[in-house]
Amino acid sequence: MTTTSAHVARSSNHPVITVDGGRVTNRTDTLAGEEPLQIMAAGPAQDPIEVAVTMRTPGHEDELAIGFLITEGLAAPSDIDRVTLYHKIRKYELQ
């Protein structure tokens, strides 16, 4: 199996209010960004079909797509020949 992965960490700082035992505090916190990931799969000589769209924190998209297919019972590890990441639209095609 060959994989191509691009990790793009995205986060942003936002003001938050915390409450602890009646004590209120204003501070800034770093929040991880989430983006949708479309997972597609295809068998030999088949066109890819959409399997799922999931929200995730960017990074390790190939592992996420493979793990999703395996845990959902849609593929076995030996079924996966390659993973392709389409960077512009962050779409995976597994064959």
Side-chain angles (χ1 to χ4, degrees):
M1 171 178 50
T2 60
T3 63
T4 303
S5 183
H7 176 65
V8 179
R10 297 189 182 177
S11 62
S12 56
N13 293 323
H14 292 276
V16 296
I17 299 171
T18 60
V19 179
D20 183 16
R23 181 175 170 218
V24 177
T25 305
N26 292 300
R27 64 182 175 87
T28 300
D29 201 355
T30 302
L31 304 176
E34 285 193 334
E35 295 179 0
L37 175 69
Q38 180 182 29
I39 300 172
M40 300 180 76
Q46 293 179 335
D47 291 330
I49 61 167
E50 182 179 310
V51 175
V53 175
T54 185
M55 294 300 289
R56 86 291 187 258
T57 301
H60 303 283
E61 285 85 0
D62 47 354
E63 290 96 339
L64 175 63
I66 291 167
F68 179 88
L69 291 174
I70 293 170
T71 58
E72 291 296 317
L74 301 172
S78 60
D79 294 334
I80 300 171
D81 180 52
R82 73 175 177 268
V83 176
T84 305
L85 171 62
Y86 298 93
H87 296 279
K88 286 189 175 185
I89 56 176
R90 292 196 174 282
K91 177 174 69 174
Y92 270 99
E93 175 184 317
L94 282 76
Q95 296 185 349

